[in-house]
PDB file of all heavy atoms in Angstrom:
ATOM      1  N   LEU K 548      -6.155 -14.247   2.631  1.00  0.00           N
ATOM      2  CA  LEU K 548      -6.300 -13.032   1.826  1.00  0.00           C
ATOM      3  C   LEU K 548      -5.050 -12.160   1.926  1.00  0.00           C
ATOM      4  O   LEU K 548      -4.562 -11.629   0.919  1.00  0.00           O
ATOM      5  CB  LEU K 548      -7.521 -12.247   2.297  1.00  0.00           C
ATOM      6  CG  LEU K 548      -7.816 -10.941   1.541  1.00  0.00           C
ATOM      7  CD1 LEU K 548      -8.264 -11.242   0.109  1.00  0.00           C
ATOM      8  CD2 LEU K 548      -8.899 -10.139   2.263  1.00  0.00           C
ATOM      9  N   LEU K 549      -4.497 -12.016   3.119  1.00  0.00           N
ATOM     10  CA  LEU K 549      -3.293 -11.203   3.310  1.00  0.00           C
ATOM     11  C   LEU K 549      -2.093 -11.819   2.584  1.00  0.00           C
ATOM     12  O   LEU K 549      -1.250 -11.098   2.045  1.00  0.00           O
ATOM     13  CB  LEU K 549      -2.996 -11.057   4.801  1.00  0.00           C
ATOM     14  CG  LEU K 549      -3.991 -10.192   5.589  1.00  0.00           C
ATOM     15  CD1 LEU K 549      -3.643 -10.226   7.074  1.00  0.00           C
ATOM     16  CD2 LEU K 549      -4.011  -8.764   5.081  1.00  0.00           C
ATOM     17  N   GLU K 550      -2.033 -13.142   2.559  1.00  0.00           N
ATOM     18  CA  GLU K 550      -0.943 -13.808   1.836  1.00  0.00           C
ATOM     19  C   GLU K 550      -1.056 -13.547   0.334  1.00  0.00           C
ATOM     20  O   GLU K 550      -0.053 -13.269  -0.336  1.00  0.00           O
ATOM     21  CB  GLU K 550      -0.970 -15.312   2.113  1.00  0.00           C
ATOM     22  CG  GLU K 550       0.183 -16.066   1.492  1.00  0.00           C
ATOM     23  CD  GLU K 550       0.201 -17.545   1.838  1.00  0.00           C
ATOM     24  OE1 GLU K 550      -0.582 -17.965   2.715  1.00  0.00           O
ATOM     25  OE2 GLU K 550       1.007 -18.289   1.240  1.00  0.00           O
ATOM     26  N   ALA K 551      -2.284 -13.609  -0.184  1.00  0.00           N
ATOM     27  CA  ALA K 551      -2.500 -13.324  -1.609  1.00  0.00           C
ATOM     28  C   ALA K 551      -2.183 -11.858  -1.917  1.00  0.00           C
ATOM     29  O   ALA K 551      -1.576 -11.541  -2.951  1.00  0.00           O
ATOM     30  CB  ALA K 551      -3.941 -13.653  -1.998  1.00  0.00           C
ATOM     31  N   SER K 552      -2.571 -10.957  -1.022  1.00  0.00           N
ATOM     32  CA  SER K 552      -2.272  -9.536  -1.197  1.00  0.00           C
ATOM     33  C   SER K 552      -0.765  -9.304  -1.199  1.00  0.00           C
ATOM     34  O   SER K 552      -0.254  -8.494  -1.977  1.00  0.00           O
ATOM     35  CB  SER K 552      -2.937  -8.726  -0.081  1.00  0.00           C
ATOM     36  OG  SER K 552      -2.613  -7.363  -0.181  1.00  0.00           O
ATOM     37  N   ASP K 553      -0.065 -10.025  -0.343  1.00  0.00           N
ATOM     38  CA  ASP K 553       1.393  -9.924  -0.281  1.00  0.00           C
ATOM     39  C   ASP K 553       2.017 -10.305  -1.622  1.00  0.00           C
ATOM     40  O   ASP K 553       2.909  -9.621  -2.138  1.00  0.00           O
ATOM     41  CB  ASP K 553       1.915 -10.836   0.829  1.00  0.00           C
ATOM     42  CG  ASP K 553       3.405 -10.686   1.070  1.00  0.00           C
ATOM     43  OD1 ASP K 553       3.923  -9.584   0.834  1.00  0.00           O
ATOM     44  OD2 ASP K 553       4.042 -11.655   1.500  1.00  0.00           O
ATOM     45  N   ASP K 554       1.526 -11.403  -2.216  1.00  0.00           N
ATOM     46  CA  ASP K 554       2.036 -11.834  -3.523  1.00  0.00           C
ATOM     47  C   ASP K 554       1.780 -10.761  -4.590  1.00  0.00           C
ATOM     48  O   ASP K 554       2.647 -10.498  -5.443  1.00  0.00           O
ATOM     49  CB  ASP K 554       1.366 -13.150  -3.944  1.00  0.00           C
ATOM     50  CG  ASP K 554       1.837 -14.335  -3.114  1.00  0.00           C
ATOM     51  OD1 ASP K 554       2.919 -14.238  -2.498  1.00  0.00           O
ATOM     52  OD2 ASP K 554       1.113 -15.353  -3.067  1.00  0.00           O
ATOM     53  N   CYS K 555       0.610 -10.141  -4.529  1.00  0.00           N
ATOM     54  CA  CYS K 555       0.280  -9.092  -5.496  1.00  0.00           C
ATOM     55  C   CYS K 555       1.163  -7.862  -5.312  1.00  0.00           C
ATOM     56  O   CYS K 555       1.552  -7.210  -6.289  1.00  0.00           O
ATOM     57  CB  CYS K 555      -1.190  -8.702  -5.379  1.00  0.00           C
ATOM     58  SG  CYS K 555      -2.335  -9.915  -6.053  1.00  0.00           S
ATOM     59  N   MET K 556       1.490  -7.537  -4.074  1.00  0.00           N
ATOM     60  CA  MET K 556       2.359  -6.391  -3.808  1.00  0.00           C
ATOM     61  C   MET K 556       3.749  -6.622  -4.402  1.00  0.00           C
ATOM     62  O   MET K 556       4.343  -5.723  -5.003  1.00  0.00           O
ATOM     63  CB  MET K 556       2.465  -6.154  -2.305  1.00  0.00           C
ATOM     64  CG  MET K 556       1.183  -5.654  -1.664  1.00  0.00           C
ATOM     65  SD  MET K 556       0.770  -3.961  -2.107  1.00  0.00           S
ATOM     66  CE  MET K 556       1.869  -3.054  -1.030  1.00  0.00           C
ATOM     67  N   HIS K 557       4.272  -7.820  -4.232  1.00  0.00           N
ATOM     68  CA  HIS K 557       5.581  -8.139  -4.804  1.00  0.00           C
ATOM     69  C   HIS K 557       5.527  -8.088  -6.328  1.00  0.00           C
ATOM     70  O   HIS K 557       6.479  -7.635  -6.979  1.00  0.00           O
ATOM     71  CB  HIS K 557       6.041  -9.520  -4.347  1.00  0.00           C
ATOM     72  CG  HIS K 557       6.382  -9.599  -2.889  1.00  0.00           C
ATOM     73  ND1 HIS K 557       7.273  -8.721  -2.298  1.00  0.00           N
ATOM     74  CD2 HIS K 557       5.972 -10.433  -1.904  1.00  0.00           C
ATOM     75  CE1 HIS K 557       7.391  -9.016  -1.014  1.00  0.00           C
ATOM     76  NE2 HIS K 557       6.612 -10.041  -0.743  1.00  0.00           N
ATOM     77  N   LEU K 558       4.418  -8.545  -6.904  1.00  0.00           N
ATOM     78  CA  LEU K 558       4.268  -8.501  -8.356  1.00  0.00           C
ATOM     79  C   LEU K 558       4.232  -7.052  -8.846  1.00  0.00           C
ATOM     80  O   LEU K 558       4.852  -6.727  -9.867  1.00  0.00           O
ATOM     81  CB  LEU K 558       3.001  -9.237  -8.784  1.00  0.00           C
ATOM     82  CG  LEU K 558       2.692  -9.252 -10.288  1.00  0.00           C
ATOM     83  CD1 LEU K 558       3.851  -9.863 -11.080  1.00  0.00           C
ATOM     84  CD2 LEU K 558       1.389 -10.006 -10.569  1.00  0.00           C
ATOM     85  N   SER K 559       3.544  -6.183  -8.118  1.00  0.00           N
ATOM     86  CA  SER K 559       3.501  -4.767  -8.494  1.00  0.00           C
ATOM     87  C   SER K 559       4.897  -4.160  -8.504  1.00  0.00           C
ATOM     88  O   SER K 559       5.279  -3.434  -9.432  1.00  0.00           O
ATOM     89  CB  SER K 559       2.607  -3.983  -7.516  1.00  0.00           C
ATOM     90  OG  SER K 559       1.250  -4.186  -7.799  1.00  0.00           O
ATOM     91  N   THR K 560       5.665  -4.455  -7.465  1.00  0.00           N
ATOM     92  CA  THR K 560       7.033  -3.949  -7.379  1.00  0.00           C
ATOM     93  C   THR K 560       7.869  -4.448  -8.557  1.00  0.00           C
ATOM     94  O   THR K 560       8.641  -3.694  -9.161  1.00  0.00           O
ATOM     95  CB  THR K 560       7.690  -4.392  -6.060  1.00  0.00           C
ATOM     96  OG1 THR K 560       6.918  -3.890  -4.960  1.00  0.00           O
ATOM     97  CG2 THR K 560       9.118  -3.871  -5.954  1.00  0.00           C
ATOM     98  N   ALA K 561       7.706  -5.727  -8.891  1.00  0.00           N
ATOM     99  CA  ALA K 561       8.462  -6.312  -9.994  1.00  0.00           C
ATOM    100  C   ALA K 561       8.077  -5.695 -11.331  1.00  0.00           C
ATOM    101  O   ALA K 561       8.933  -5.409 -12.171  1.00  0.00           O
ATOM    102  CB  ALA K 561       8.238  -7.831 -10.022  1.00  0.00           C
ATOM    103  N   ILE K 562       6.783  -5.476 -11.540  1.00  0.00           N
ATOM    104  CA  ILE K 562       6.302  -4.887 -12.797  1.00  0.00           C
ATOM    105  C   ILE K 562       6.904  -3.497 -12.992  1.00  0.00           C
ATOM    106  O   ILE K 562       7.392  -3.152 -14.075  1.00  0.00           O
ATOM    107  CB  ILE K 562       4.767  -4.820 -12.811  1.00  0.00           C
ATOM    108  CG1 ILE K 562       4.177  -6.219 -12.943  1.00  0.00           C
ATOM    109  CG2 ILE K 562       4.274  -3.933 -13.954  1.00  0.00           C
ATOM    110  CD1 ILE K 562       2.673  -6.276 -12.723  1.00  0.00           C
ATOM    111  N   LEU K 563       6.882  -2.687 -11.941  1.00  0.00           N
ATOM    112  CA  LEU K 563       7.445  -1.346 -12.038  1.00  0.00           C
ATOM    113  C   LEU K 563       8.937  -1.382 -12.315  1.00  0.00           C
ATOM    114  O   LEU K 563       9.456  -0.611 -13.131  1.00  0.00           O
ATOM    115  CB  LEU K 563       7.180  -0.574 -10.744  1.00  0.00           C
ATOM    116  CG  LEU K 563       5.801   0.052 -10.584  1.00  0.00           C
ATOM    117  CD1 LEU K 563       5.700   0.758  -9.248  1.00  0.00           C
ATOM    118  CD2 LEU K 563       5.502   1.024 -11.712  1.00  0.00           C
ATOM    119  N   SER K 564       9.627  -2.270 -11.650  1.00  0.00           N
ATOM    120  CA  SER K 564      11.078  -2.366 -11.827  1.00  0.00           C
ATOM    121  C   SER K 564      11.432  -2.773 -13.251  1.00  0.00           C
ATOM    122  O   SER K 564      12.300  -2.170 -13.887  1.00  0.00           O
ATOM    123  CB  SER K 564      11.656  -3.370 -10.825  1.00  0.00           C
ATOM    124  OG  SER K 564      13.048  -3.461 -10.959  1.00  0.00           O
ATOM    125  N   VAL K 565      10.749  -3.783 -13.764  1.00  0.00           N
ATOM    126  CA  VAL K 565      11.013  -4.230 -15.137  1.00  0.00           C
ATOM    127  C   VAL K 565      10.657  -3.116 -16.126  1.00  0.00           C
ATOM    128  O   VAL K 565      11.398  -2.851 -17.077  1.00  0.00           O
ATOM    129  CB  VAL K 565      10.225  -5.512 -15.456  1.00  0.00           C
ATOM    130  CG1 VAL K 565      10.313  -5.841 -16.945  1.00  0.00           C
ATOM    131  CG2 VAL K 565      10.753  -6.681 -14.636  1.00  0.00           C
ATOM    132  N   GLY K 566       9.528  -2.446 -15.895  1.00  0.00           N
ATOM    133  CA  GLY K 566       9.115  -1.367 -16.788  1.00  0.00           C
ATOM    134  C   GLY K 566      10.106  -0.217 -16.823  1.00  0.00           C
ATOM    135  O   GLY K 566      10.325   0.399 -17.872  1.00  0.00           O
TER     136      GLY K 566
END
Side-chain angles (χ1 to χ4, degrees):
L548 180 68
L549 291 175
E550 184 176 350
S552 177
D553 186 29
D554 289 340
C555 286
M556 291 289 281
H557 291 307
L558 179 57
S559 282
T560 301
I562 289 170
L563 279 179
S564 181
V565 170

